[in-house]
Amino acid sequence: MKFKNMFSPIQIGPMTVKNRFVVPPMGNNFANTDGTWSDESVAYYAERAKGQFGLITIEATVVHKGAKGGPRKPCLYDDNSIESLKKITDACHAEGAKISIQLQNAGPEGNAKNAGAPIQAATAIAAADGRDIPEAVPTEQVYELIKGYGEAAVRAMKGGADAVEIHMAHGYLVNSFMSPRTNKRVDEFGGNFENRMRFSRLIIEEVKKMTEGKIAVLARINSCDEVPGGLDVHDSAAIAAYLEGCGLDAIHVSRAVHIRDEFMWAPTVTHGGFSASQVEEIKRAVSIPVITVGRYTEPQFAELMVKEGRCDLVAFGRQSLADPHMPLKAQEERLEDMIPCIACLQGCVANMYAGNPICCLVNPFLGHEAEGIAPAEKAKKVMVIGGGVAGLCAAFIAQEKGHQVTLYEASDKLGGNMRLAAYPPGKGDITNMIRSYIVRCQKAGVTIKMNQEVTLDFIREEKPDSVIVASGSRTLILPIEGIDNPAIIHGSDLLDGKRAAGKKVLVVGGGMVGCETAAFLGEQNHDVTVIEFRDTVGADVIHEHRVYLMKDFEDYGIKEITGAKVCKFYEDGVEYETADGQRHESRGYDSVILSMGFRNYNPFGEEIKTIVPDTYVIGDAIRARRALDATKEAYEVASTL
């Protein structure tokens, strides 16, 4: 498929962008603690420029001293960061990319401890329970903050930036002035629309005056705040038109404030381009270019959006983490080579919040761009045992290093338990990830042998130089009376279509595995009950995923029994004990599904090292955990072979 519109150039103010592929601003914690960008930052952005993203937006950069939202946020409130910024812009310009820098004061979404000063907002309203209460910015200081944006923009320009993007979304400082939900001021910056927009207007005017029209000036706004009393899409369309009148060169449309961040970094269940209709509303209101963002993972819908005039550029956020070369692959029509973002949120969002450098489940190279993968000094015969994501990932990395790799899978399908994770509602993109790993193995030249059980004797016969054990995990079976009853259905067998459940079903285990199995059955109109030892179901599910998972529970009428320790299994139910020591029965089910999680499976133990000393165990074969751990360990082992 050709992507003619996505690869057409576009003018944004004084800046010409070669195509419509955008890297949006994403916190990555690669910056140094002194506010400068690191060599890792340079390599990270340069890799996306090599991948032919036309416009690359550097992560939220602090414009005011005392407004630093995290320990590894880059800063432009003084000249110290200009030199390190120049390294990024030079590296990206060498690949033909344009650079924009997002200018941010986190405002009420900041952190006083990290900032070293009280956080500020339009009004003293906390962003959420447990967050610092901000100080309302005094009127005279608002004008000082405006100057800070202009000064930061000049430093960005000195650092080689082609554009700046003023952050006016997500509940941060500027957004707190725009929204009547958070702006209760009665000075010239509060009250009616014009007053609430005064801060934004004066910032744009100051930035344009200070940069003398030499760089493009963009803004990121919400399409809607997604909270009662906040801005909706009609407000945002009027805001966009107003900002265009202030001299803005382009609008970048995002969505929601942080207490509804399932709209900011949408989880797997959310379709790509889910905010398209709202972006359309804003596009109709302006004549300047509009950038859309919102879980875009493939170029097909992006091409349609641009072709139909519903937007002008498309930002591929987490997709650019998963595959920094996605535009290049689209241009060369190597669509099956694309590595998809599965919106797991495990390595990116979780680490961003924790203040740690981000990483990626599907792309373990993220954060290691500066290191590269050195070719093997000597080609080894490498045996990889297990065709789950850990084994597949280790296999293609080792093969690409120059080793001779053979992967052995005991079953007739690749993907391991991750393949089954794609079966519950909304998880289909996981299949895309597994397929991309298989393709990469095939193109690298990995030999894949299916239905091959590996034993110690087989290893002796094959005489590999190195072995990577990625044998995965199996259903956790605790020593509970009746659990081995053949009538009990293992959740993995249910998802794999090996066994069918009756109408009325009890799912034993209310962690992520059990809850997703329950949603799978609920979608098929089964009458489902989940029993869980903890006081709540889905306690181990990432918040953004849990929002939608609990909606499935509500929509499908899935019932819950919590705080229940299962003591005995029957063919038609269980006996369980509650915290008060009382015994109860829940019976009368057509099927009982065992979904209490997984335990590691490694049939070789330490004996394998007496045969092949250079043996490594990775992923669930060590301990059943997240797929993020599996691919990370695959990278760590295979890259050093």
Side-chain angles (χ1 to χ4, degrees):
M1 179 178 178
K2 302 286 186 184
F3 300 98
K4 178 182 175 182
N5 293 280
M6 286 298 292
F7 285 102
S8 60
I10 186 170
Q11 193 72 25
I12 302 177
M15 170 179 68
T16 303
V17 181
K18 67 181 179 181
N19 62 40
R20 311 303 178 94
F21 289 89
V22 178
V23 174
M26 292 176 288
N28 53 52
N29 294 320
F30 294 148
N32 299 313
T33 53
D34 64 358
T36 61
W37 282 275
S38 66
D39 290 342
E40 193 173 58
S41 300
V42 176
Y44 163 79
Y45 286 112
E47 194 66 27
R48 279 129 194 95
K50 291 174 186 174
Q52 297 306 301
F53 279 94
L55 177 61
I56 296 175
T57 316
I58 291 176
E59 77 258 40
T61 301
V62 184
V63 297
H64 303 115
K65 192 169 185 178
K68 194 174 182 181
R72 292 190 174 274
K73 289 280 187 183
C75 303
L76 277 176
Y77 49 68
D78 57 35
D79 293 345
N80 291 341
S81 297
I82 294 175
E83 184 180 348
S84 61
L85 173 59
K86 192 70 168 62
K87 292 179 182 178
I88 294 175
T89 57
D90 285 349
C92 293
H93 286 158
E95 301 294 338
K98 298 297 185 183
I99 293 295
S100 177
I101 300 180
Q102 188 179 73
L103 304 180
Q104 184 212 48
N105 180 319
E109 292 290 353
N111 180 298
K113 181 180 178 181
N114 286 323
I119 60 174
Q120 296 181 312
T123 307
I125 298 173
D129 177 43
R131 304 297 298 273
D132 298 329
I133 298 176
E135 294 181 350
V137 187
T139 303
E140 62 275 11
Q141 193 184 351
V142 177
Y143 291 96
E144 293 301 315
L145 293 175
I146 290 164
K147 291 179 182 178
Y149 280 93
E151 291 164 356
V154 170
R155 295 186 185 104
M157 188 169 65
K158 288 180 178 178
D162 306 287
V164 292
E165 177 180 288
I166 303 162
H167 204 332
M168 300 182 178
H170 304 329
Y172 297 124
L173 180 66
V174 182
N175 185 246
S176 77
F177 277 79
M178 295 163 71
S179 174
R181 173 180 164 269
T182 49
N183 185 343
K184 313 296 182 181
R185 301 173 74 97
V186 293
D187 62 1
E188 64 264 40
F189 293 99
N192 67 12
F193 178 91
E194 184 72 28
N195 285 357
R196 285 186 283 108
M197 292 301 299
R198 190 183 305 276
F199 188 34
S200 305
R201 174 173 63 81
L202 293 177
I203 290 172
I204 294 170
E205 290 175 357
E206 181 73 10
V207 169
K208 291 187 78 71
K209 180 184 77 173
M210 294 290 286
T211 57
E212 302 175 334
K214 294 177 182 177
I215 62 174
V217 181
L218 297 77
R220 187 179 232 205
I221 66 171
N222 284 344
S223 59
C224 59
D225 290 347
E226 293 294 345
V227 286
L231 302 171
D232 74 358
V233 70
H234 309 99
D235 299 314
S236 295
I239 286 169
Y242 180 88
L243 295 175
E244 180 180 17
C246 297
L248 204 65
D249 294 311
I251 296 274
H252 185 177
V253 184
S254 189
R255 188 169 174 177
V257 295
H258 273 283
I259 54 176
R260 294 301 305 276
D261 62 11
E262 65 269 22
F263 291 98
M264 290 172 57
W265 29 74
T268 316
V269 68
T270 308
H271 283 285
F274 67 98
S275 296
S277 61
Q278 296 189 344
V279 173
E280 239 182 296
E281 188 82 20
I282 291 166
K283 174 63 180 167
R284 284 198 296 267
V286 298
S287 58
I288 55 176
V290 171
I291 304 170
T292 183
V293 70
R295 200 163 129 60
Y296 288 93
T297 58
E298 295 181 296
Q300 288 83 358
F301 186 54
E303 170 72 11
L304 190 63
M305 287 286 288
V306 174
K307 179 182 178 181
E308 294 181 345
R310 298 161 70 186
C311 71
D312 299 283
L313 302 96
V314 179
F316 294 83
R318 288 167 293 160
Q319 179 57 39
S320 71
L321 304 180
D323 192 345
H325 292 180
M326 185 200 129
L328 179 60
K329 293 173 181 176
Q331 191 171 33
E332 296 175 350
E333 298 185 64
R334 296 188 289 118
L335 303 185
E336 201 174 29
D337 290 350
M338 289 182 184
I339 303 167
C341 167
I342 60 172
C344 65
L345 311 179
Q346 291 182 15
C348 51
V349 173
N351 280 309
M352 180 193 68
Y353 271 131
N356 299 321
I358 63 171
C359 57
C360 180
L361 186 161
V362 303
N363 176 22
F365 299 91
L366 175 63
H368 299 281
E369 290 89 350
E371 303 165 18
I373 300 292
E377 294 180 7
K378 178 185 177 183
K380 296 180 179 179
K381 181 180 180 181
V382 179
M383 173 183 286
V384 177
I385 304 172
V389 292
L392 290 167
C393 185
F396 69 67
I397 293 173
Q399 185 75 31
E400 288 171 359
K401 277 180 64 71
H403 297 300
Q404 298 171 357
V405 181
T406 302
L407 182 148
Y408 297 89
E409 167 56 39
S411 74
D412 63 348
K413 292 184 180 71
L414 295 167
N417 286 331
M418 194 68 170
R419 179 178 62 82
L420 300 180
Y423 282 64
K427 292 298 187 79
D429 278 358
I430 293 174
T431 304
N432 192 5
M433 170 206 170
I434 295 167
R435 178 60 193 165
S436 74
Y437 272 25
I438 295 169
V439 169
R440 190 157 178 182
C441 282
Q442 291 170 339
K443 292 195 173 183
V446 174
T447 300
I448 299 175
K449 297 194 175 182
M450 306 297 295
N451 299 302
Q452 175 66 67
E453 191 79 44
V454 175
T455 63
L456 292 174
D457 286 341
F458 183 78
I459 295 169
R460 290 188 185 94
E461 292 171 11
E462 290 297 311
K463 297 182 173 60
D465 299 308
S466 301
V467 173
I468 299 175
V469 178
S471 45
S473 58
R474 294 185 174 179
T475 298
L476 175 63
I477 302 176
L478 295 173
I480 300 172
E481 183 181 351
I483 199 169
D484 55 354
N485 188 315
I488 307 299
I489 301 172
H490 289 189
S492 55
D493 288 339
L494 175 85
L495 294 173
D496 212 12
K498 294 177 180 177
R499 297 190 64 179
K503 176 65 177 177
K504 189 176 181 182
V505 180
L506 178 67
V507 176
V508 181
M512 182 179 72
V513 174
C515 286
E516 290 190 345
T517 301
F520 174 80
L521 290 165
E523 185 182 55
Q524 298 174 0
N525 294 318
H526 290 268
D527 177 359
V528 185
T529 300
V530 175
I531 187 167
E532 163 60 20
F533 175 72
R534 286 169 289 195
D535 291 333
T536 185
V537 298
D540 58 341
V541 181
I542 292 173
H543 164 73
E544 292 81 1
H545 290 277
R546 193 174 188 276
V547 168
Y548 290 95
L549 187 56
M550 291 300 99
K551 187 176 185 306
D552 283 346
F553 269 54
E554 181 180 347
D555 290 348
Y556 303 140
I558 298 171
K559 296 172 282 294
E560 304 170 19
I561 303 172
T562 56
K565 179 183 177 182
V566 174
C567 308
K568 185 176 181 180
F569 281 82
Y570 301 99
E571 286 191 11
D572 68 339
V574 296
E575 180 181 309
Y576 64 93
E577 184 179 297
T578 50
D580 58 6
Q582 296 295 311
R583 291 285 182 109
H584 309 268
E585 286 189 350
S586 184
R587 301 185 67 173
Y589 298 97
D590 301 314
S591 301
V592 177
I593 313 297
L594 180 62
S595 291
M596 300 173 77
F598 297 90
R599 67 177 304 166
N600 73 303
Y601 174 68
N602 179 0
F604 308 109
E606 290 298 312
E607 189 176 353
I608 190 172
K609 292 187 178 180
T610 65
I611 304 168
V612 184
D614 195 39
T615 290
Y616 308 87
V617 183
I618 63 174
D620 279 8
I622 299 174
R623 178 168 52 86
R625 292 158 295 156
R626 304 171 301 171
L628 176 68
D629 300 300
T631 56
K632 178 183 177 183
E633 289 163 8
Y635 169 85
E636 290 170 348
V637 167
S639 64
T640 56
L641 272 182

